[in-house]
Amino acid sequence: MNIVTISREFGSGGRELGKRLADELGVSCYDDEIIEMVAERHGLSKDYAAHMSEKNFRVLYPSTIGCRFAGFTHQMHPTTHQSVQFAVAQQQVIKELAGQGNCVVVGRCADVILRELTPLNLFVYATQESKLARCMSRMKEDEHYSPREIVLMMKRIDKERTAYRELLSDDDWGNKESYHLCINTSNKEIKKLIPGLAAYVKCWFGE
Amino acid sequence: MNIVTISREFGSGGRELGKRLADELGVSCYDDEIIEMVAERHGLSKDYAAHMSEKNFRVLYPSTIGCRFAGFTHQMHPTTHQSVQFAVAQQQVIKELAGQGNCVVVGRCADVILRELTPLNLFVYATQESKLARCMSRMKEDEHYSPREIVLMMKRIDKERTAYRELLSDDDWGNKESYHLCINTSNKEIKKLIPGLAAYVKCWFGE
């Protein structure tokens, strides 16, 4: 099974890179599909499921950040319990989807969750300036964030991703040692990197 | 001018990767050639030039590590003076070689020295276990280092590389933010990654 996982800094274009890489490789890309499947399976609205997913995980663990699942199940309050249930359901879905065949999985600590399937783990990053420019250029018409607000959002979300990974793994989020290839997208058009990246992925898997 | 620079952890296979990548791209690879050229130009023995090169730079600055050139020129002692002269000569050679055409340059902070030519800067790394296995398997018949000695050597050399880069740049050696692509070679056969890596390099330069 050839699985590529994408971890990424907010605004670095990791999601776009994952989608384009999957298209180039002719495999499935799982991103929001994961949340949708969890929502459908457990009778949750998509919005609620998105809220419960990775990006809000940290908020639900105000006093337990840095612990591991096994360490604090006895002290859960209901919200935490729901959150853990959601995380378990999400992990299950990720494993099921990855079990169906070659794919790219974006975010949600798939590199850790799928470790037994020995995926190729990518990390996508960029300078703050480049990430900010990317976010500003992609803002929807009804969104009106200032550059300062976007930078704060970037930091908050990356902090949440760091915290979520801490719950699952001893390897740190964003440390190059936790990944097989770290891709700096600063000031680059992602689609232009994809054929080369796809070639690297194929070599990695010995194709 | 399409220039690729290779920075690397000792034992990660960065030198081999650089050489193979240059062969695959059909361009020159500059590694020991740099030292040889400095030696020839300044009437030094190759051994002495190798001694003066990057890897022994830190030893020559016992009390000034962390400073920048401009900050301590007034307190040089002769050895330091020779060392700086050598570094300047080495930088000059690197710039001259890179000015001749597309190439791969291994080590010696070429990423910093050639910044104005906007090179693609790679960093090659691996787990300690993998680097140790690589070093052990490549030991010459007349070399008899223990695993512990090799690990100490790895750490010393990488520390020297860190210190050398500190003299030239504010960007840290080994931090992914200082590079465009960070390649983990742990337990991989480097030659198998080369066609994919070469494809990525070509995409990077828009070829």
Side-chain angles (χ1 to χ4, degrees):
Chain A
M1 195 76 71
N2 296 347
I3 295 164
V4 180
T5 73
I6 313 272
S7 304
R8 74 288 186 215
E9 289 177 354
F10 184 81
S12 66
R15 174 182 291 224
E16 179 189 343
L17 184 143
K19 181 80 181 70
R20 288 185 183 276
L21 178 62
D23 287 348
E24 184 81 12
L25 293 169
V27 302
S28 300
C29 180
Y30 302 122
D31 185 358
D32 283 344
E33 295 80 357
I34 295 163
I35 292 174
E36 284 165 19
M37 206 162 145
V38 176
E40 192 179 326
R41 187 172 291 183
H42 295 271
L44 307 170
S45 74
K46 197 189 157 192
D47 282 351
Y48 180 73
H51 172 78
M52 292 289 280
S53 188
E54 174 187 359
K55 67 178 184 177
N56 289 297
F57 213 77
R58 182 166 163 267
V59 182
L60 300 167
Y61 288 107
S63 62
T64 51
I65 292 301
C67 300
R68 298 288 179 277
F69 277 119
F72 60 91
T73 45
H74 62 282
Q75 55 174 326
M76 285 176 188
H77 54 80
T79 314
T80 306
H81 181 68
Q82 287 169 355
S83 171
V84 170
Q85 277 193 315
F86 185 89
V88 170
Q90 184 171 265
Q91 288 181 32
Q92 185 58 35
V93 164
I94 290 170
K95 284 182 181 172
E96 279 179 37
L97 289 171
Q100 288 174 15
N102 299 346
C103 62
V104 174
V105 187
V106 178
R108 297 170 187 84
C109 290
D111 56 325
V112 180
I113 292 162
L114 300 175
R115 191 167 276 167
E116 287 175 13
L117 298 175
T118 61
L120 165 58
N121 301 318
L122 311 183
F123 188 83
V124 186
Y125 64 106
T127 60
Q128 182 171 297
E129 188 186 13
S130 174
K131 291 185 289 188
L132 180 58
R134 184 178 172 85
C135 289
M136 295 295 282
S137 71
R138 285 166 184 253
M139 215 185 290
K140 291 173 188 160
E141 274 190 18
D142 60 342
E143 291 176 332
H144 306 285
Y145 297 111
S146 69
R148 188 174 168 276
E149 283 171 325
I150 291 177
V151 168
L152 287 174
M153 187 160 64
M154 274 180 202
K155 288 185 177 170
R156 181 179 57 77
I157 291 174
D158 285 350
K159 209 167 169 183
E160 287 164 3
R161 288 174 179 169
T162 304
Y164 182 47
R165 201 174 203 282
E166 267 186 9
L167 291 166
L168 301 182
S169 169
D170 290 329
D171 296 336
D172 287 342
W173 181 88
N175 268 14
K176 68 180 187 307
E177 287 73 16
S178 306
Y179 308 94
H180 299 115
L181 191 72
C182 300
I183 303 159
N184 189 336
T185 57
S186 303
N187 309 315
K188 298 302 278 189
E189 214 178 330
I190 284 171
K191 70 177 175 190
K192 294 194 174 163
L193 301 177
I194 294 301
L197 182 58
Y200 189 85
V201 170
K202 286 178 186 171
C203 283
W204 180 270
F205 287 115
E207 286 177 12
Chain B
M1 195 75 70
N2 296 347
I3 295 164
V4 180
T5 74
I6 313 273
S7 305
R8 74 290 186 213
E9 289 177 353
F10 184 80
S12 66
R15 174 182 290 223
E16 179 189 342
L17 183 142
K19 181 79 181 67
R20 288 186 183 276
L21 178 62
D23 287 348
E24 184 81 13
L25 294 169
V27 302
S28 301
C29 179
Y30 303 122
D31 185 356
D32 284 344
E33 295 81 356
I34 296 164
I35 292 175
E36 284 165 19
M37 206 163 147
V38 175
E40 193 179 327
R41 187 172 291 184
H42 294 271
L44 307 170
S45 74
K46 198 189 157 193
D47 282 351
Y48 181 74
H51 172 79
M52 292 289 280
S53 187
E54 173 188 358
K55 67 178 184 175
N56 289 299
F57 214 78
R58 181 166 161 268
V59 182
L60 300 167
Y61 288 108
S63 62
T64 51
I65 292 301
C67 300
R68 296 289 178 277
F69 277 119
F72 60 91
T73 46
H74 62 284
Q75 54 176 326
M76 284 176 191
H77 54 80
T79 314
T80 305
H81 180 68
Q82 287 168 354
S83 171
V84 169
Q85 276 192 315
F86 185 88
V88 169
Q90 184 171 265
Q91 288 181 32
Q92 185 59 34
V93 164
I94 290 171
K95 285 181 181 172
E96 279 179 37
L97 290 170
Q100 288 172 16
N102 299 347
C103 61
V104 174
V105 188
V106 178
R108 298 169 185 84
C109 289
D111 56 324
V112 180
I113 293 163
L114 300 175
R115 190 168 278 166
E116 287 175 12
L117 298 174
T118 60
L120 165 58
N121 301 319
L122 310 184
F123 188 83
V124 186
Y125 64 107
T127 60
Q128 182 170 297
E129 188 186 12
S130 174
K131 290 185 289 188
L132 180 58
R134 184 179 173 84
C135 290
M136 295 295 282
S137 73
R138 285 167 184 253
M139 214 184 292
K140 293 174 188 160
E141 274 188 18
D142 60 342
E143 292 177 333
H144 306 284
Y145 297 111
S146 69
R148 187 173 168 275
E149 284 171 325
I150 292 177
V151 168
L152 286 175
M153 188 161 62
M154 276 180 199
K155 288 185 177 168
R156 181 178 57 78
I157 292 175
D158 285 351
K159 210 168 169 182
E160 287 165 4
R161 288 173 179 171
T162 305
Y164 183 48
R165 201 174 203 281
E166 266 186 10
L167 290 167
L168 301 181
S169 168
D170 289 331
D171 295 335
D172 287 340
W173 181 87
N175 267 14
K176 68 180 188 304
E177 286 74 16
S178 306
Y179 308 95
H180 299 116
L181 191 72
C182 299
I183 303 160
N184 189 336
T185 57
S186 304
N187 310 315
K188 297 303 277 189
E189 214 177 329
I190 284 171
K191 70 177 176 190
K192 293 194 175 162
L193 300 176
I194 295 299
L197 183 58
Y200 190 85
V201 171
K202 287 179 185 170
C203 283
W204 180 270
F205 288 116
E207 286 177 12

